[in-house]
Amino acid sequence: MRKILIIFASLPVLALSLVVEDHVPPMLQECYNQHIYSNSLVEQTNCLQKYLFHLFGNSKQHTLVDKNSLDWVDSLGRSVHHRLKRQTRYNTYNTYNRYNNRFRRPIPSVDRRRVRKEIRTLTDQERQVFFDAINALKNDKSAIPNQYDFLALMHQTSALTSAHGGPNFTGWHRYYLLIFEEACIRKRSTFVLPYWDSSIDFRMSDPSASVLWTEIFLGNGRGVVYTGPFAMWKTPANDTYLRRDIPGANSSLINPDTIVNVLSKRYNREILTPTAETEEDNLETHHDGVHVWVGGEDGHMGGLETSPQDPVFFLHHCYIDYLWELFRERQQRLGINTEEDYPETTNDYHRPSRIMDNLYPPRTNKWGYSNIFTERNGIYRYAPAPTCANRCGGAYNGYLFCNRRTGHCEPRTKRQFIDMGCFRNIDSPYINDQPIVASAGNGLAAQSPDNTIRKTDIQTDKTIQPTRPPERQTDHQTVTQTKSPDRHIKTPPDRHTNKTTKQRQTDRPTDRPPDSHTNKTTRQTHKNTTRQTHKQDHQTDTDRQPAR
């Protein structure tokens, strides 16, 4: 018994001798220091994920060494560079600038750049090309596991560190978007990558109810994506189905009132990690909130290594690139050299001379700050974001509308589209047979016995139509069929013809269709009555003429 007591008494001493103080790895500590202002659980998790992937990776990283897949990505990058050269060939001469003793490229007379638009301003045909191209990449098995997923896996490994948390964040993703866009162009030649302006949805009371999260656009926003163009997608993340968790906890879409802080700065060091002074000034922080809002806890958009497996990733980052381009245009107006404004950093992964990870052909981090992409003889430009001034970007089919009370464009909800009967007017093969619940406002509840309407009903049953509001009837269109119970009450005379309402009813032929058993005598009586009425009208007009 004494030995047992001695053993129990010595346990705390043994436990303390086993505890050894260890330092936090420098890479992990630096990531924590970058988010010292907020230090939320989401940011700590992202830092830990980046560090673990840096050490161990995951089971799917072996696909990044497939030679055929890498050659395909390299050909995409070379096509981007060839496209840049081809754009400059339209100008066969150079002009001399006598102020700085340099030759410069002239401004071309024809703008041949692709125009990236907000996704809700696309036509049905443009939106269909976008969906078809992405699904064509998903179904192409020439890369491992397929072309789309191979491009998504390029966002993993060392790119988790070198493309986030530093000044290379904007340049790396710009090059990444160009490679993805080039891959889609090979599937559909008219493809242009759109962007998703999430600041428009921010103003909604319930952004998850937006028409964007329907089968018309991106499919349902919660749980396994089972509707829309990306329904039942298998992802390389443990071979799971594509998932979303809208709205994620402790997240936010881009706030239009605070994003102006980013656009009002002068230098990149003021808007990028880790040198931005506040979270509201940090463009990457605004970007992080949308990832968590879409992905939540178990959605693919919520993790750095899995976010590109959801096509929403490319729409979101295209908008981030649009905001950065607005910032760079302001820099040029202020006389700042945007190509040389690469912030100084102590992070080796973000050094300006370092080669970008996973993007081919190899280019340096600073190359992502070049103006050749968006200048007049570049590759692409952006259509302005939808506002009430530009009629919400010419939003097609009423997906956006101008709220006159707030003065801002807002997206319509799915309920509004159902009540307006707009689903049947949209030409999209991705509107599946999921039931569309009818409400009392759209007039479909009384026409459908089970209070639901499916796509097959919309396409084949022409009798199901949305009820139109009753037309406004004027005095000349109103015909009163009910007689007054008190016959001694006189009807007021008409101020135009001095006729009573009863006389007008007699003058105007009835709208009731003729009886099928009407004989010739009835027709003759009606003809005589009409002739007598015309004589009375003529006599009334003669009495109205003034005496000469």
Side-chain angles (χ1 to χ4, degrees):
M1 186 66 181
R2 182 178 298 177
K3 293 181 179 180
I4 296 176
L5 293 175
I6 294 174
I7 293 174
F8 276 105
S10 61
L11 283 177
V13 179
L14 293 174
L16 291 175
S17 63
L18 294 176
V19 176
V20 179
E21 183 180 357
D22 195 6
H23 297 284
V24 178
M27 176 181 172
L28 188 60
Q29 184 62 47
E30 184 176 1
C31 184
Y32 288 153
N33 294 337
Q34 292 172 358
H35 302 283
I36 192 173
Y37 294 101
S38 59
N39 198 22
S40 64
L41 179 61
V42 175
E43 292 167 348
Q44 293 180 13
T45 304
N46 289 337
C47 291
L48 186 58
Q49 285 180 348
K50 288 193 294 185
Y51 179 69
L52 293 177
F53 269 83
H54 174 70
L55 294 180
F56 308 107
N58 66 3
S59 59
K60 296 295 180 180
Q61 289 184 6
H62 66 276
T63 59
L64 293 178
V65 298
D66 179 67
K67 185 178 183 305
N68 294 332
S69 302
L70 292 175
D71 291 342
W72 171 67
V73 173
D74 185 73
S75 68
L76 295 175
R78 295 186 184 279
S79 296
V80 172
H81 297 292
H82 291 327
R83 194 179 298 273
L84 287 170
K85 294 180 180 179
R86 186 168 63 250
Q87 292 290 88
T88 58
R89 287 198 195 108
Y90 292 116
N91 305 309
T92 58
Y93 62 94
N94 288 332
T95 57
Y96 183 73
N97 190 340
R98 59 187 178 89
Y99 294 101
N100 55 9
N101 297 324
R102 294 178 58 188
F103 286 94
R104 63 180 177 85
R105 292 188 298 273
I107 298 177
S109 58
V110 179
D111 192 350
R112 303 177 184 272
R113 293 174 294 178
R114 300 191 293 262
V115 182
R116 294 178 176 178
K117 307 175 185 178
E118 216 278 339
I119 186 171
R120 285 162 289 196
T121 64
L122 301 179
T123 64
D124 285 345
Q125 293 77 15
E126 291 172 338
R127 189 176 66 254
Q128 192 62 43
V129 168
F130 170 69
F131 294 149
D132 290 346
I134 294 181
N135 277 283
L137 290 177
K138 187 74 172 180
N139 297 326
D140 193 330
K141 306 295 183 180
S142 60
I144 299 177
N146 56 70
Q147 289 186 348
Y148 180 88
D149 288 335
F150 186 83
L151 291 173
L153 292 173
M154 292 168 58
H155 195 261
Q156 296 184 0
T157 63
S158 54
L160 293 174
T161 304
S162 63
H164 303 87
N168 190 38
F169 165 73
T170 51
W172 189 94
H173 285 88
R174 171 166 286 193
Y175 191 16
Y176 187 41
L177 292 179
L178 281 171
I179 292 177
F180 176 79
E181 190 174 31
E182 185 66 29
C184 293
I185 289 175
R186 292 189 179 184
K187 301 300 181 183
R188 298 293 185 272
S189 59
T190 60
F191 178 91
V192 180
L193 183 64
Y195 64 89
W196 168 38
D197 185 354
S198 57
S199 64
I200 297 179
D201 303 76
F202 179 87
R203 301 184 185 277
M204 299 180 64
S205 58
D206 183 12
S208 62
S210 170
V211 71
L212 187 70
W213 308 110
T214 63
E215 53 268 36
I216 302 177
F217 287 95
L218 305 177
N220 55 290
R222 195 165 186 84
V224 174
V225 179
Y226 61 91
T227 64
F230 317 119
M232 307 310 294
W233 263 26
K234 280 292 190 69
T235 66
N238 299 324
D239 200 28
T240 57
Y241 288 104
L242 178 62
R243 293 184 60 88
R244 297 178 186 138
D245 190 17
I246 295 176
N250 302 322
S251 63
S252 172
L253 298 175
I254 292 181
N255 189 339
D257 297 327
T258 58
I259 195 63
V260 295
N261 296 336
V262 175
L263 302 179
S264 62
K265 303 300 180 182
R266 294 175 58 91
Y267 300 100
N268 281 291
R269 65 173 180 268
E270 299 177 294
I271 65 169
L272 296 176
T273 306
T275 51
E277 294 183 358
T278 64
E279 295 293 328
E280 293 184 351
D281 298 341
N282 195 330
L283 179 62
E284 189 171 359
T285 301
H286 289 278
H287 143 272
D288 294 342
V290 181
H291 272 279
V292 181
W293 189 86
V294 177
E297 295 182 358
D298 58 351
H300 286 77
M301 270 287 285
L304 283 174
E305 70 283 355
T306 59
S307 55
Q309 297 170 19
D310 190 340
V312 179
F313 170 91
F314 296 97
L315 299 174
H316 168 52
H317 271 273
C318 192
Y319 181 62
I320 298 298
D321 187 74
Y322 166 71
L323 293 175
W324 190 45
E325 184 61 24
L326 292 180
F327 174 82
R328 288 164 60 86
E329 289 176 356
R330 182 174 182 273
Q331 281 187 311
Q332 294 175 355
R333 291 193 297 268
L334 296 175
I336 300 174
N337 190 342
T338 55
E339 294 183 330
E340 298 297 329
D341 186 35
Y342 192 94
E344 297 181 358
T345 178
T346 58
N347 190 335
D348 293 339
Y349 288 94
H350 290 265
R351 292 196 315 268
S353 59
R354 188 177 183 274
I355 300 298
M356 293 184 182
D357 290 311
N358 301 342
L359 301 182
Y360 304 97
R363 290 294 183 270
T364 62
N365 293 340
K366 189 177 180 181
W367 182 79
Y369 280 59
S370 176
N371 294 330
I372 59 176
F373 308 111
T374 57
E375 62 184 1
R376 184 61 182 266
N377 49 2
I379 295 181
Y380 69 93
R381 64 182 178 91
Y382 284 101
T387 60
C388 287
N390 60 18
R391 301 182 65 180
C392 294
Y396 187 75
N397 216 354
Y399 299 126
L400 300 175
F401 71 97
C402 178
N403 190 333
R404 300 298 181 184
R405 183 176 58 84
T406 61
H408 301 286
C409 290
E410 294 183 6
R412 297 193 186 276
T413 64
K414 182 176 181 179
R415 171 56 56 192
Q416 290 174 339
F417 258 70
I418 295 174
D419 293 344
M420 295 167 59
C422 293
F423 271 95
R424 65 174 52 84
N425 298 326
I426 297 171
D427 183 15
S428 176
Y430 300 111
I431 299 181
N432 54 22
D433 291 334
Q434 295 298 323
I436 301 175
V437 180
S439 65
N442 60 5
L444 300 179
Q447 301 175 15
S448 181
D450 59 348
N451 203 30
T452 59
I453 293 179
R454 301 180 183 272
K455 181 186 177 183
T456 54
D457 302 328
I458 296 176
Q459 291 181 343
T460 59
D461 190 358
K462 297 183 180 180
T463 61
I464 299 178
Q465 297 291 340
T467 57
R468 298 177 58 185
E471 298 181 358
R472 185 178 180 182
Q473 296 179 346
T474 60
D475 293 339
H476 298 285
Q477 296 174 342
T478 305
V479 178
T480 306
Q481 300 294 341
T482 305
K483 295 183 179 180
S484 175
D486 190 357
R487 298 186 178 182
H488 299 284
I489 299 177
K490 296 183 179 180
T491 57
D494 192 351
R495 60 181 178 180
H496 298 292
T497 60
N498 292 330
K499 293 183 180 182
T500 63
T501 305
K502 186 175 181 180
Q503 290 176 345
R504 290 200 309 272
Q505 294 174 5
T506 306
D507 295 346
R508 185 174 291 105
T510 180
D511 294 336
R512 181 179 179 182
D515 193 356
S516 59
H517 301 285
T518 303
N519 51 24
K520 295 182 179 180
T521 306
T522 305
R523 294 194 187 98
Q524 185 65 28
T525 304
H526 177 72
K527 186 180 299 184
N528 296 336
T529 304
T530 304
R531 188 178 302 169
Q532 184 178 2
T533 303
H534 289 170
K535 289 182 179 180
Q536 293 177 0
D537 293 342
H538 178 71
Q539 182 65 27
T540 304
D541 295 339
T542 304
D543 296 341
R544 291 168 118 194
Q545 294 181 359
R548 295 184 180 179

